[in-house]
Short mmCIF file of all heavy atoms in Angstrom, two decimals:
data_model
loop_
_atom_site.label_atom_id
_atom_site.label_comp_id
_atom_site.label_asym_id
_atom_site.label_seq_id
_atom_site.Cartn_x
_atom_site.Cartn_y
_atom_site.Cartn_z
N ARG A 1 0.85 -1.20 0.00
CA ARG A 1 0.00 0.00 0.00
C ARG A 1 0.89 1.24 0.00
O ARG A 1 1.85 1.33 0.75
CB ARG A 1 -0.87 0.00 1.26
CG ARG A 1 -1.80 1.20 1.35
CD ARG A 1 -2.62 1.12 2.66
NE ARG A 1 -3.44 2.30 2.81
CZ ARG A 1 -4.16 2.57 3.89
NH1 ARG A 1 -4.15 1.72 4.89
NH2 ARG A 1 -4.88 3.64 3.98
N LYS A 2 0.57 2.22 -0.87
CA LYS A 2 1.34 3.45 -0.93
C LYS A 2 1.12 4.22 0.35
O LYS A 2 0.05 4.17 0.97
CB LYS A 2 0.90 4.27 -2.14
CG LYS A 2 1.25 3.63 -3.46
CD LYS A 2 0.77 4.49 -4.62
CE LYS A 2 0.98 3.77 -5.93
NZ LYS A 2 0.34 4.47 -7.04
N GLU A 3 2.13 5.03 0.73
CA GLU A 3 2.03 5.73 1.99
C GLU A 3 0.93 6.78 2.00
O GLU A 3 0.24 6.96 3.00
CB GLU A 3 3.39 6.35 2.31
CG GLU A 3 4.45 5.29 2.61
CD GLU A 3 5.70 5.89 3.17
OE1 GLU A 3 5.74 6.18 4.37
OE2 GLU A 3 6.65 6.06 2.38
N VAL A 4 0.82 7.52 0.92
CA VAL A 4 -0.24 8.52 0.78
C VAL A 4 -0.85 8.34 -0.61
O VAL A 4 -0.13 8.44 -1.61
CB VAL A 4 0.29 9.95 0.95
CG1 VAL A 4 -0.84 10.94 0.77
CG2 VAL A 4 0.95 10.13 2.31
N GLU A 5 -2.13 8.06 -0.65
CA GLU A 5 -2.78 7.79 -1.93
C GLU A 5 -3.84 8.83 -2.22
O GLU A 5 -4.65 9.17 -1.35
CB GLU A 5 -3.44 6.41 -1.92
CG GLU A 5 -2.45 5.28 -2.05
CD GLU A 5 -3.09 4.00 -2.54
OE1 GLU A 5 -3.51 3.93 -3.71
OE2 GLU A 5 -3.16 3.05 -1.74
N THR A 24 -5.92 8.88 1.40
CA THR A 24 -5.72 7.92 2.48
C THR A 24 -4.23 7.81 2.77
O THR A 24 -3.40 7.99 1.88
CB THR A 24 -6.28 6.52 2.13
OG1 THR A 24 -5.67 6.07 0.92
CG2 THR A 24 -7.78 6.57 1.94
N TYR A 25 -3.90 7.52 4.03
CA TYR A 25 -2.51 7.38 4.41
C TYR A 25 -2.33 6.08 5.19
O TYR A 25 -3.26 5.58 5.82
CB TYR A 25 -2.05 8.60 5.24
CG TYR A 25 -2.80 8.81 6.54
CD1 TYR A 25 -2.30 8.30 7.74
CD2 TYR A 25 -3.98 9.53 6.56
CE1 TYR A 25 -2.99 8.51 8.92
CE2 TYR A 25 -4.67 9.73 7.74
CZ TYR A 25 -4.17 9.22 8.92
OH TYR A 25 -4.85 9.41 10.09
N SER A 26 -1.10 5.55 5.13
CA SER A 26 -0.88 4.22 5.68
C SER A 26 -0.26 4.22 7.09
O SER A 26 -0.40 3.23 7.81
CB SER A 26 0.02 3.41 4.74
OG SER A 26 1.29 4.04 4.62
N ASN A 27 0.39 5.32 7.46
CA ASN A 27 1.10 5.33 8.74
C ASN A 27 0.19 5.82 9.85
O ASN A 27 -0.09 7.02 9.97
CB ASN A 27 2.33 6.24 8.63
CG ASN A 27 3.15 6.26 9.92
OD1 ASN A 27 2.90 5.50 10.84
ND2 ASN A 27 4.11 7.16 9.98
N SER A 28 -0.26 4.88 10.68
CA SER A 28 -1.20 5.25 11.75
C SER A 28 -0.56 6.14 12.80
O SER A 28 -1.26 6.76 13.59
CB SER A 28 -1.75 3.99 12.41
OG SER A 28 -0.68 3.21 12.94
N ALA A 29 0.78 6.24 12.80
CA ALA A 29 1.47 7.10 13.78
C ALA A 29 1.54 8.55 13.32
O ALA A 29 1.97 9.41 14.09
CB ALA A 29 2.88 6.56 14.03
N SER A 30 1.12 8.84 12.11
CA SER A 30 1.18 10.23 11.62
C SER A 30 0.35 11.13 12.51
O SER A 30 -0.75 10.78 12.93
CB SER A 30 0.67 10.30 10.18
OG SER A 30 1.55 9.63 9.30
N GLN A 31 0.91 12.31 12.76
CA GLN A 31 0.24 13.26 13.65
C GLN A 31 -0.10 14.57 12.95
O GLN A 31 -0.88 15.36 13.47
CB GLN A 31 1.15 13.56 14.85
CG GLN A 31 1.41 12.37 15.74
CD GLN A 31 0.16 11.89 16.44
OE1 GLN A 31 -0.66 12.69 16.88
NE2 GLN A 31 -0.01 10.58 16.52
N SER A 32 0.55 14.83 11.83
CA SER A 32 0.35 16.11 11.17
C SER A 32 -0.11 15.87 9.74
O SER A 32 0.41 14.99 9.05
CB SER A 32 1.66 16.91 11.16
OG SER A 32 2.13 17.13 12.47
N PHE A 33 -1.06 16.69 9.32
CA PHE A 33 -1.70 16.49 8.02
C PHE A 33 -1.90 17.83 7.35
O PHE A 33 -2.26 18.81 8.01
CB PHE A 33 -3.06 15.80 8.22
CG PHE A 33 -2.97 14.57 9.09
CD1 PHE A 33 -3.15 14.68 10.46
CD2 PHE A 33 -2.70 13.33 8.54
CE1 PHE A 33 -3.05 13.56 11.27
CE2 PHE A 33 -2.60 12.21 9.33
CZ PHE A 33 -2.77 12.32 10.71
N LEU A 64 -10.44 15.29 8.83
CA LEU A 64 -9.55 14.19 9.12
C LEU A 64 -10.35 13.09 9.81
O LEU A 64 -11.10 13.36 10.75
CB LEU A 64 -8.42 14.66 10.05
CG LEU A 64 -7.54 13.60 10.70
CD1 LEU A 64 -6.74 12.85 9.66
CD2 LEU A 64 -6.62 14.24 11.74
N ASN A 65 -10.17 11.87 9.36
CA ASN A 65 -10.78 10.71 10.02
C ASN A 65 -9.64 9.77 10.37
O ASN A 65 -9.14 9.02 9.53
CB ASN A 65 -11.77 10.03 9.08
CG ASN A 65 -12.49 8.86 9.73
OD1 ASN A 65 -11.89 8.13 10.54
ND2 ASN A 65 -13.75 8.68 9.41
N ARG A 66 -9.22 9.82 11.63
CA ARG A 66 -8.05 9.03 12.03
C ARG A 66 -8.35 7.52 11.99
O ARG A 66 -7.50 6.73 11.65
CB ARG A 66 -7.62 9.40 13.44
CG ARG A 66 -6.87 10.70 13.54
CD ARG A 66 -6.34 10.89 14.95
NE ARG A 66 -5.78 12.21 15.16
CZ ARG A 66 -4.53 12.54 14.93
NH1 ARG A 66 -3.70 11.63 14.46
NH2 ARG A 66 -4.09 13.75 15.15
N ALA A 67 -9.56 7.16 12.36
CA ALA A 67 -9.91 5.74 12.41
C ALA A 67 -9.78 5.11 11.02
O ALA A 67 -9.29 3.98 10.87
CB ALA A 67 -11.33 5.55 12.95
N SER A 68 -10.19 5.85 10.01
CA SER A 68 -10.12 5.34 8.64
C SER A 68 -8.84 5.77 7.93
O SER A 68 -8.63 5.39 6.77
CB SER A 68 -11.33 5.81 7.84
OG SER A 68 -12.53 5.39 8.45
N GLN A 69 -8.04 6.61 8.58
CA GLN A 69 -6.80 7.14 8.00
C GLN A 69 -7.10 7.80 6.67
O GLN A 69 -6.54 7.45 5.61
CB GLN A 69 -5.74 6.02 7.90
CG GLN A 69 -5.31 5.55 9.27
CD GLN A 69 -4.27 4.42 9.24
OE1 GLN A 69 -4.19 3.65 10.18
NE2 GLN A 69 -3.50 4.31 8.19
N TYR A 70 -7.95 8.79 6.77
CA TYR A 70 -8.56 9.41 5.59
C TYR A 70 -8.62 10.91 5.82
O TYR A 70 -8.97 11.39 6.90
CB TYR A 70 -9.97 8.79 5.49
CG TYR A 70 -10.91 9.39 4.51
CD1 TYR A 70 -11.04 8.85 3.23
CD2 TYR A 70 -11.74 10.45 4.86
CE1 TYR A 70 -11.96 9.36 2.33
CE2 TYR A 70 -12.65 10.97 3.97
CZ TYR A 70 -12.76 10.42 2.71
OH TYR A 70 -13.66 10.93 1.83
N ILE A 71 -8.26 11.66 4.77
CA ILE A 71 -8.29 13.13 4.83
C ILE A 71 -9.07 13.61 3.62
O ILE A 71 -8.98 13.01 2.53
CB ILE A 71 -6.86 13.69 4.76
CG1 ILE A 71 -5.95 13.08 5.82
CG2 ILE A 71 -6.86 15.21 4.90
CD1 ILE A 71 -4.49 13.24 5.50
N VAL A 89 -0.56 15.63 2.25
CA VAL A 89 0.75 15.47 2.87
C VAL A 89 0.57 15.05 4.33
O VAL A 89 -0.23 15.64 5.06
CB VAL A 89 1.55 16.78 2.80
CG1 VAL A 89 2.94 16.60 3.39
CG2 VAL A 89 1.63 17.29 1.37
N VAL A 90 1.33 14.05 4.75
CA VAL A 90 1.31 13.63 6.15
C VAL A 90 2.76 13.53 6.63
O VAL A 90 3.68 13.40 5.83
CB VAL A 90 0.59 12.29 6.36
CG1 VAL A 90 -0.81 12.33 5.77
CG2 VAL A 90 1.37 11.14 5.77
N ASN A 91 2.96 13.60 7.93
CA ASN A 91 4.31 13.43 8.40
C ASN A 91 4.64 11.94 8.49
O ASN A 91 3.76 11.09 8.54
CB ASN A 91 4.57 14.16 9.71
CG ASN A 91 3.81 13.58 10.88
OD1 ASN A 91 2.60 13.39 10.78
ND2 ASN A 91 4.49 13.29 11.95
N GLY A 92 5.93 11.65 8.45
CA GLY A 92 6.40 10.34 8.06
C GLY A 92 6.57 9.31 9.15
O GLY A 92 5.95 9.41 10.21
N PRO A 93 7.44 8.35 8.91
CA PRO A 93 7.59 7.20 9.80
C PRO A 93 7.87 7.61 11.23
O PRO A 93 8.64 8.54 11.48
CB PRO A 93 8.79 6.45 9.20
CG PRO A 93 8.80 6.84 7.79
CD PRO A 93 8.30 8.26 7.74
N GLY A 94 7.23 6.91 12.14
CA GLY A 94 7.46 7.21 13.54
C GLY A 94 6.82 8.51 13.97
O GLY A 94 7.02 8.94 15.10
N GLY A 95 6.04 9.10 13.10
CA GLY A 95 5.40 10.37 13.45
C GLY A 95 6.37 11.52 13.51
O GLY A 95 6.03 12.57 14.07
N SER A 96 7.57 11.37 12.96
CA SER A 96 8.55 12.46 13.06
C SER A 96 8.03 13.69 12.35
O SER A 96 7.39 13.61 11.31
CB SER A 96 9.88 12.02 12.44
OG SER A 96 9.72 11.72 11.07
N GLN A 97 8.31 14.83 12.92
CA GLN A 97 7.74 16.06 12.40
C GLN A 97 8.27 16.42 11.04
O GLN A 97 7.54 16.83 10.16
CB GLN A 97 8.04 17.22 13.37
CG GLN A 97 7.24 17.16 14.65
CD GLN A 97 5.77 17.45 14.41
OE1 GLN A 97 5.36 17.89 13.36
NE2 GLN A 97 4.96 17.15 15.40
N ASN A 99 9.81 14.84 8.46
CA ASN A 99 9.74 14.04 7.24
C ASN A 99 8.32 14.02 6.71
O ASN A 99 7.46 13.33 7.24
CB ASN A 99 10.22 12.61 7.53
CG ASN A 99 10.26 11.78 6.27
OD1 ASN A 99 9.91 12.24 5.19
ND2 ASN A 99 10.68 10.55 6.40
N LEU A 100 8.07 14.82 5.70
CA LEU A 100 6.74 14.86 5.11
C LEU A 100 6.66 13.86 3.96
O LEU A 100 7.57 13.78 3.14
CB LEU A 100 6.42 16.26 4.60
CG LEU A 100 6.32 17.36 5.65
CD1 LEU A 100 5.89 18.66 4.98
CD2 LEU A 100 5.35 16.98 6.76
N ILE A 101 5.56 13.15 3.93
CA ILE A 101 5.29 12.22 2.84
C ILE A 101 4.22 12.84 1.97
O ILE A 101 3.12 13.15 2.46
CB ILE A 101 4.82 10.86 3.37
CG1 ILE A 101 5.77 10.31 4.44
CG2 ILE A 101 4.66 9.88 2.21
CD1 ILE A 101 7.16 10.02 3.95
#
Side-chain angles (χ1 to χ4, degrees):
Chain A
R1 181 181 175 186
K2 293 179 186 171
E3 293 191 80
V4 179
E5 285 201 69
T24 57
Y25 61 95
S26 61
N27 182 8
S28 59
S30 293
Q31 296 295 320
S32 302
F33 310 91
L64 168 65
N65 183 324
R66 284 187 189 271
S68 302
Q69 294 179 205
Y70 171 95
I71 306 161
V89 183
V90 306
N91 67 309
S96 62
Q97 287 291 348
N99 184 357
L100 295 184
I101 309 297

